[in-house]
Structures are given as structure tokens and as C-alpha cells.
Amino acid sequence: MSSIRILLADDHVMVREGTRRILEREPDLLVIAEAGDGREAVDLVARERPDVAIVDISMPVMNGIEATKGIKAISPRTAVLVLSA
């Protein structure tokens, strides 16, 4: 079975690190990229084509809603999970 490839996008480094550590405890989950803002997330999805993007709704440069629109436009098969504090 292949791993589910995940991109994490959150402007808080500690949240990204904690989420990555939790996800990587599962043998079939692999965090392949991390972004600190919405624009970076869209750029990384274009390059890496993850299976799933976990996106914070409130980020600088481009918020999670706009980032999700961009992600789905360039990679319709990438599932997006939007998080909010």
C-alpha cells in the first residue's frame, strides 16, 4: 500500500511541527511539504501534487479559502482539509 502524501499549510511553525509529528506516527501517512502562507501552499501543491492538503483558514499573504481555490484549480485530485482555531 502506498503512503498518503500530505501538505501542511499553517503560519504557526509549532502547529505545523505538532501536526506533522502526529500524522507521521501513522505508517501510511507522509508529510511531503510544509507552507507558512497560502501562496506558498499553492506553489507547493503545483510542484508536489499531494494527495491531501491540510490548510489553516487564517494565514498571511493568501488566506486558506483563497489557497483552497488555487489548490483545486491546479490540482483537482488533491483533497483539502481546512482547519480553524
Side-chain angles (χ1 to χ4, degrees), residues 32-69:
I32 60 164
E34 296 183 29
D37 63 59
R39 169 55 37 209
E40 184 181 15
V42 173
D43 293 344
L44 284 169
V45 167
R47 187 170 63 237
E48 301 294 335
R49 302 293 178 168
D51 301 309
V52 177
I54 300 175
V55 179
D56 181 22
I57 198 165
S58 178
M59 291 186 291
V61 182
M62 179 186 291
N63 68 39
I65 301 300
E66 291 302 314
T68 297
K69 290 177 185 176

Side-chain angles (χ1 to χ4, degrees), residues 4-9 15-34 52-54 81 83:
I4 297 170
R5 302 170 67 245
I6 301 169
L7 170 133
L8 297 176
V15 172
R16 287 197 320 264
E17 287 178 4
T19 304
R20 179 176 27 83
R21 288 181 182 167
I22 290 168
L23 293 172
E24 289 187 336
R25 290 181 187 161
E26 299 299 322
D28 58 341
L29 301 180
L30 177 63
V31 176
I32 60 164
E34 296 183 29
V52 177
I54 300 175
L81 173 64
L83 300 179

